[in-house]
Amino acid sequence: MPNSFRSIGLIARATAVIGNQLFTSDDLQNSQFIYLMRIVETPGITQTQLANQLHVDPSTCLRTVRKLIAHQYVARQTDEHNKKQRPLVATAQGQALYPELQAYEQHILAIGTHGLSAGEQLILEELLGKVANNIQEYQTTQNE
C-alpha cells in the first residue's frame, strides 16, 4: 500500500513539473497554472476559498495570486455586499490561456489512463475520490 501513496506523489510532482515547463513561456511557474485554472473555473472565488480548494497555505496562495495579478492573468474585484472580500476573476488574458491549460489537463489525463478500460478509469476515479476524502477528513480533524 505505501507504493500507492508514492505513486500518487509521483503523479502530482511529474504533472506539475511538466506543466511548469510547458507554461514557462507564458510566465506561469511554480504551478501557477493550477491556480489560474481554478480561478477561471470558479469566477468570484475568494483567496481563502482558493487556498482551501488547493490545500495550500494561505500565504503561499497570496504570493501566487499576486504573481498572477502582476502578469495580468487575474484581477481582484470588490464585493458589493462585503467590502472585506476581494473575489478573484480571470482577466481576458487569463481566459484566453484557459483552453491551453484545459487541453494540457486532458492530455495528461489521457496519458495517465492509457491502457485502462472505461470501467477501470471509473473505478480509479472512485477509489482516488475516496482516498482524497479520507485524507481531507483526517486533515480537518488534525486542524481542530
Side-chain angles (χ1 to χ4, degrees):
M1 188 51 85
N3 288 335
S4 297
F5 281 104
R6 289 181 182 173
S7 295
I8 291 168
L10 178 139
I11 293 164
R13 286 187 304 279
T15 57
V17 167
I18 295 165
N20 288 336
Q21 291 170 346
L22 186 61
F23 298 111
T24 297
S25 62
D26 296 303
D27 288 324
L28 293 177
Q29 306 154 5
N30 299 324
S31 301
Q32 292 171 353
F33 66 96
I34 297 169
Y35 290 73
L36 180 56
M37 287 186 75
R38 295 304 179 274
I39 293 167
V40 172
E41 293 167 353
T42 317
I45 191 170
T46 65
Q47 191 171 297
T48 302
Q49 291 167 331
L50 182 62
N52 289 338
Q53 191 178 90
L54 295 175
H55 300 282
V56 296
D57 184 75
S59 61
T60 301
C61 187
L62 173 63
R63 283 191 304 276
T64 302
V65 167
R66 283 183 176 163
K67 289 176 185 176
L68 290 171
I69 291 170
H71 286 103
Q72 299 178 345
Y73 286 115
V74 172
R76 291 187 193 275
Q77 291 184 327
T78 303
D79 188 319
E80 296 173 10
H81 304 292
N82 185 347
K83 300 290 183 195
K84 290 182 181 180
Q85 286 192 351
R86 302 286 313 271
L88 302 169
V89 294
T91 62
Q93 184 176 339
Q95 292 281 352
L97 189 57
Y98 182 71
E100 272 185 71
L101 301 175
Q102 197 173 33
Y104 166 71
E105 184 178 60
Q106 292 304 310
H107 180 68
I108 284 295
L109 184 59
I111 290 169
T113 58
H114 176 75
L116 298 180
S117 70
E120 289 171 327
Q121 289 180 25
L122 286 173
I123 291 169
L124 176 64
E125 185 175 347
E126 181 182 340
L127 294 176
L128 286 175
K130 286 181 179 182
V131 170
N133 188 49
N134 290 342
I135 297 297
Q136 276 184 305
E137 286 178 7
Y138 176 75
Q139 183 181 25
T140 301
T141 61
Q142 294 302 303
N143 292 334
E144 292 176 352

